[in-house]
Amino acid sequence: GSCTLAFASIIPKSINNNPFTFMTTVSKTAEFELAYPVSVRSLLGGMDNSIIDTFGGEIEWDNFTVKHTERRGRETSIELRYGKNVTDINYDLDSGNTYSAVVPYWRSNDGSLISLPPDKVVTRQGATSEKTVTLDVSRNYDEIPVDEDLLAEAQKALVVSPDLTIKVNFFELWNTEEYEKYSQLQRTYLGDTVSVIYTEFGITDSQRVVKTVY
């Protein structure tokens, strides 16, 4: 059924008195079942096949109101810029999940092995490092895959981008006298997207606020 129906069932199905109000704007429909007693918190997100797992979206807690939306927060024009309001920045580019070459293969239950002829390897064009991994695609195909299938699986694995993590601490301009008139324009909330600009590192990126500390 619908995500709306799942949310409407929380209060009637609660064992104890439930003082919360639950609302959702997610219209997705999916198969959803709760086969055993769990806490409402786990039901929303934090267990396999939770509402978040099944219907997607994000949760916002507002005292006793629980809001479920496709994405909380807003796109803003706020800039976190070196020399203006950034107090500390950590920039980490993890290429541990990227490869220069992939060896795809498929194997049947009786041990038969299918791989790409002649050298079995698919190399990423322009790769500057040498990191080759094996790729088992057996679960993806019930029947023997053709060479084109194996090639497509390998190429899909090769286009994974490095994981970029930027952690920024910034000065809250909305708390200063100079920005008193513009405090609402400079205020950021959990889920908001802001621009991070650090020209010394060549960083110009958009990042979401994923944590706030009070």
Side-chain angles (χ1 to χ4, degrees), residues 151-167:
L151 180 61
E153 295 283 355
Q155 290 174 337
K156 191 191 308 180
L158 288 173
V159 298
V160 176
S161 300
D163 290 329
L164 172 63
T165 303
I166 301 176
K167 184 177 180 181

Side-chain angles (χ1 to χ4, degrees), residues 152-201:
E153 295 283 355
Q155 290 174 337
K156 191 191 308 180
L158 288 173
V159 298
V160 176
S161 300
D163 290 329
L164 172 63
T165 303
I166 301 176
K167 184 177 180 181
V168 182
N169 293 325
F170 59 95
F171 188 72
E172 300 166 355
L173 294 177
W174 60 82
N175 285 331
T176 65
E177 289 186 17
E178 293 85 346
Y179 282 84
E180 184 177 359
K181 294 181 180 179
Y182 315 105
S183 60
Q184 287 304 311
L185 298 177
Q186 290 293 321
R187 185 76 167 87
T188 60
Y189 299 91
L190 197 64
D192 287 354
T193 298
V194 299
S195 296
V196 180
I197 302 172
Y198 202 117
T199 53
E200 279 69 14
F201 286 176

